[in-house]
Each structure stands twice: as C-alpha cells, then as structure tokens.
C-alpha cells in the first residue's frame, strides 16, 4: 500500500491534480468564511448555490457553463503554453481583442465567402493574435526586452487601436459597438444545440478541446515541443545543445498569441449577441487566462478542467442574489480562489521534494535487494 502511494505521488499527473484540488478546497474554505462574515444566516445556502448553481437550468445551464469557459480555456492555454517555455504571456488580452477584431471584420464585410466565412474569420483571428505576439517575441529574443513590459504595452495599444478601427470600419453608432457578423460567420453548433438546448454554446467549445489535445501533443510528444521547453528551462544549455533559442522564443510567443487570437474569434463569432464594445477597458478574459493556467499548472488537460471550473462557479454566483448577497461577492470568492491557485505550485513542489527524498531513501535498498536476488539465483 505504501509502495503504491509513493508510485502515485511520483506520477506528475497525480501530484498536479492533487495540488490543484487542495488549492481549490482552500480557496472555497476561505470563500465560505467570507460569506459567514457578511451574512451568517444565509452563508450555507449561498455557499451551496455556488457549488450547485452551474446546474441551475439543467442542460441549458451546463451548456452556458461550457460557453463561458471556452474563451478562458483558450487564453489559459495561451498563457500556459508560454509558461511551459519559460515565458509569461501577459499580453493575451491584447492578442484576444486583436483576433476578435479580425474575426468581426471578416464576419461583417465578407459574406461572399458563404459557408466557409466562419473558418476564414477564425483563421484571421489566429493570424492577428499571432502577429500581435510577434512584436514582444522579437523584442525579447533580439533586444532582451522583458515580455511582461512589452506585453502590457501591447495590451493597451491593441485596445485603443481596435476601438479606433471598429469606429472606422464596422461601427454601430446607436449601440457604440461593432456591427453583428453575418449568419455564415457564426461558428456552427455541430449538434451541441440539441444536447444543450436554449444555451449559447456552439462549436467553439469543441475547437477548444481539439486545440488542448494538439498543444498537449506538441509539448509532450514532439521534438519541437522538447526544444521549446528546453529553451524555457535553460537557454544557455539549449544553445550548447544546438537549439536555436531566439527562434524558439519568438515561435513560443507567436503560438501563444495565435491561441489567444482564436479565443477572440470564438468570443465574437457566436449567436449570443456578443459584440466589441468601444470602451477603454481591457478584455478581462485575457487576464482570467492567467489563473486558469496557474490552477491547471500549465498542463493543457489541467487548463481545460480549470477553465470549466472557473466558469462553473461564476455561473453559480449569478444566483447569489437569491440569498441577499450583493453580486460582487462571487467576484471576491473567485479572486480568493485565483489567489490560492498560485498555492497549487507550492503544493506541487512539496510533493515533488517529498517523492525525491523518498526515492533517494528507498532506491539504494532496493538495488541491494535486487543484487542479492541475482546472486542467489
């Protein structure tokens, strides 16, 4: 039994899952304490609503959970991919809005593309996001400008630039937002409207799952992914190994930007009435991707489930007003959970150190036993 438990702890997937689970439990516990302080008599009911509220409305509620999860899964994947290669893609918000604008532009102005319009729009979003990340990538690789500084600046440049371009090209002056895209530019539902009737869910969720699998395979099953991670761990060592570190730094951010750009395309190519509003506010989904990546420990599969979890409790928070809690209380609780998501890294490091010590202690003894067996044999 003891040996089996140690083997499980040695499994990176198991230790990652357990550490994230502990972080979520700790965040929810502190959130419950906040509810007790603000409204003791209804704290238990409010907490139950957070845990079960995502199921309110049945299949429609679950479908909306997946719908709201899709863009933050994609931005989490963007941030997590960069994390894996030693970079912090804080510019996902700017890449998302750049991709969103490109998708809307194609979706509004190119109806002649017919049924393929949504595909072209999504490809345009991917290219725009990749281009918006290319600049910080070049600055990092060739001029040693930290990607956090250039990423933050590109966020604001992207926001103001998109606002100006929307007004000049696809503007609805009555509503101060972008024009609606054509019907053929909306991502098809691929049958999800039958499984989750009346929800806003479309095929973007399936696209996100597909890209999660693709990124997982790239990072863990290809030479290219190994080189990217090697550059992230130690650029000097990777150079000695013959890896082009500068090229891989640029490619890492470009791929991360493409993922964030697709997130923007998925957000605005829907039938749910989502438009680019001409306001001076950064796209929050780009920043939500950071805690999603942290909670998923930058593992693409973990990011998928952490994005769904964040969306689930957010949807549960919509019903908190039934218990006389202000709507902002769920934002406080989510912020606490996000804070504890960083704690997941500490827990994982603890497990890694524990298993390393256990392996060092048991390894020599097992080797001697094996040697005695060979001699007796």
């Amino acid at each position: 039994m003891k040996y089996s438990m140690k083997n499980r702890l040695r499994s990176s997937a198991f230790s990652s899952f357990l550490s994230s689970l502990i972080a979520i439990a700790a965040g929810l516990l502190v959130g419950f304490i906040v509810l007790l302080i603000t409204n003791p008599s209804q704290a238990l009911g409010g907490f139950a609503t957070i845990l079960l509220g995502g199921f309110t409305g049945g299949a429609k509620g679950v479908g909306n959970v997946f719908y709201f999860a899709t863009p933050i899964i994609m931005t989490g994947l963007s941030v997590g991919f960069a994390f894996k290669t030693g970079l912090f893609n804080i510019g996902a918000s700017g890449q998302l809005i750049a991709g969103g604008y490109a998708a809307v532009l194609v979706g509004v102005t190119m109806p002649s593309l017919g049924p393929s319009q949504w595909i072209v729009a999504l490809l345009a979003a991917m290219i725009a996001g990749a281009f918006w990340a290319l600049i910080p990538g070049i600055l990092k690789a060739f001029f040693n400008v930290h990607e956090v500084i250039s990423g933050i600046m590109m966020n604001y440049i992207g926001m103001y630039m998109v606002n100006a371009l929307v007004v000049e090209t696809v503007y609805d002056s009555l509503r101060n937002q972008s024009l609606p895209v054509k019907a053929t530019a909306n991502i098809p539902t691929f049958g999800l409207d039958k499984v989750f009737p009346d929800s806003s869910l479309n095929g973007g969720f399936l696209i996100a799952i597909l890209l999660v699998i693709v990124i997982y395979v790239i990072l863990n099953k290809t030479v290219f992914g190994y080189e990217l991670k090697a550059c992230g761990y130690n650029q000097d060592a990777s150079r000695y190994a013959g890896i082009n570190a500068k090229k891989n730094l640029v490619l890492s951010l470009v791929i991360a930007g493409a993922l964030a750009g697709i997130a923007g395309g998925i957000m605005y190519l829907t039938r749910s009435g989502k438009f680019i509003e001409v306001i001076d506010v950064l796209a929050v989904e780009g920043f939500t991707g950071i805690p999603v990546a942290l909670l998923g420990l930058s593992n693409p599969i973990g990011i998928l489930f952490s994005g769904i979890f964040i969306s689930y409790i957010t949807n549960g928070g919509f019903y908190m007003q039934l218990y006389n809690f202000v709507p902002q209380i769920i934002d406080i609780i989510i912020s606490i959970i996000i804070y504890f998501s960083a704690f997941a890294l500490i827990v994982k490091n603890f497990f890694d150190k524990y298993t390393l010590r256990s392996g060092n202690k048991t390894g020599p003894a097992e080797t001697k036993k094996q040697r005695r067996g060979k001699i007796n044999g």
Side-chain angles (χ1 to χ4, degrees):
M1 182 69 179
K2 184 177 180 182
Y3 179 75
S4 176
M5 186 61 184
K6 286 179 179 178
N7 280 346
R8 287 182 180 180
L9 286 173
R10 288 191 185 103
S11 169
S12 176
F14 179 78
S15 62
S16 297
F17 171 76
L18 188 58
S19 57
S20 294
L21 198 63
I22 292 172
I24 290 171
L28 288 174
L29 178 61
V30 175
F32 180 60
I33 293 172
V34 172
L35 294 180
L36 282 173
I37 294 172
T38 55
N39 191 346
S41 63
Q42 296 183 310
L44 189 60
F47 189 68
T49 299
I50 292 173
L51 296 181
L52 302 174
F55 291 115
T56 303
K60 177 183 177 181
V62 176
N64 284 332
V65 168
F66 292 148
Y67 167 72
F68 288 111
T70 303
I72 63 175
I73 289 171
M74 290 303 305
T75 53
L77 199 60
S78 171
V79 175
F81 182 86
F83 275 158
K84 280 288 189 181
T85 58
L87 299 168
F88 185 12
N89 183 29
I90 202 171
S93 180
Q95 295 150 17
L96 178 145
I97 198 63
Y101 170 73
V104 169
L105 183 65
V106 173
V108 172
T109 63
M110 299 183 182
S112 59
L113 293 171
S116 64
Q117 188 178 12
W118 72 270
I119 299 175
V120 176
L122 209 56
L123 289 174
M126 180 183 72
I127 294 170
F131 175 77
W132 211 245
L134 175 64
I135 299 171
I138 292 174
L139 291 174
K140 171 71 174 181
F142 295 96
F143 302 98
N144 202 29
V145 177
H146 202 287
E147 70 275 9
V148 170
I149 297 173
S150 56
I152 291 173
M153 297 308 296
M154 292 299 287
N155 282 341
Y156 283 97
I157 295 171
M159 177 191 68
Y160 289 118
M161 183 193 72
V162 166
N163 284 348
L165 288 175
V166 166
V167 171
E168 293 296 326
T169 56
V170 288
Y171 189 49
D172 183 348
S173 58
L174 295 177
R175 297 177 177 84
N176 194 38
Q177 63 187 24
S178 60
L179 292 167
V181 300
K182 306 302 180 184
T184 50
N186 288 315
I187 300 173
T189 60
F190 297 118
L192 292 176
D193 56 328
K194 303 292 191 300
V195 182
F196 305 99
D198 300 322
S199 71
S200 300
L201 185 64
N202 65 7
F205 182 66
L206 299 179
I207 294 171
I209 293 176
L210 176 63
L211 289 172
V212 163
I213 296 171
V214 169
I215 295 301
Y216 178 85
V217 171
I218 289 175
L219 286 174
N220 297 286
K221 306 295 182 181
T222 66
V223 174
F224 175 60
Y226 172 80
E227 290 182 352
L228 288 176
K229 290 189 289 185
C231 291
Y233 288 132
N234 192 320
Q235 288 188 38
D236 294 329
S238 64
R239 289 192 192 97
Y240 285 121
I243 298 172
N244 190 330
K246 291 183 178 180
K247 181 189 77 173
N248 282 300
L249 281 175
V250 175
L251 283 176
S252 175
L253 278 177
V254 165
I255 293 172
L259 293 170
I262 292 172
I266 290 174
M267 275 181 61
Y268 297 109
L269 299 178
T270 66
R271 294 173 174 83
S272 61
K274 185 76 173 176
F275 304 97
I276 301 177
E277 297 182 18
V278 184
I279 53 176
D280 296 339
V281 176
L282 294 173
V284 69
E285 291 83 1
F287 295 103
T288 307
I290 297 172
V292 167
L294 286 173
L295 194 58
L297 296 175
S298 298
N299 183 298
I301 307 300
I303 288 169
L304 172 64
F305 288 105
S306 63
I308 293 172
F309 170 75
I310 293 295
S311 175
Y312 177 83
I313 61 171
T314 301
N315 278 268
F318 293 157
Y319 302 97
M320 291 292 286
Q321 297 177 68
L322 298 175
Y323 292 89
N324 295 324
F325 287 102
V326 295
Q328 290 78 13
I329 194 72
I330 190 61
D331 294 328
I332 296 172
I333 294 173
I334 291 173
S335 298
I336 293 170
I337 294 173
I338 288 171
Y339 180 82
F340 274 97
S341 65
F343 181 67
L345 294 173
I346 300 174
V347 175
K348 186 176 186 300
N349 289 336
F350 169 79
F351 283 133
D352 290 343
K353 289 179 181 178
Y354 169 77
T355 53
L356 182 61
R357 288 198 302 268
S358 299
N360 289 337
K361 289 179 181 179
T362 59
E366 290 174 357
T367 303
K368 290 179 182 177
K369 186 176 180 181
Q370 291 172 355
R371 287 175 181 172
R372 284 199 300 269
K374 289 179 180 180
I375 292 172
N376 292 334

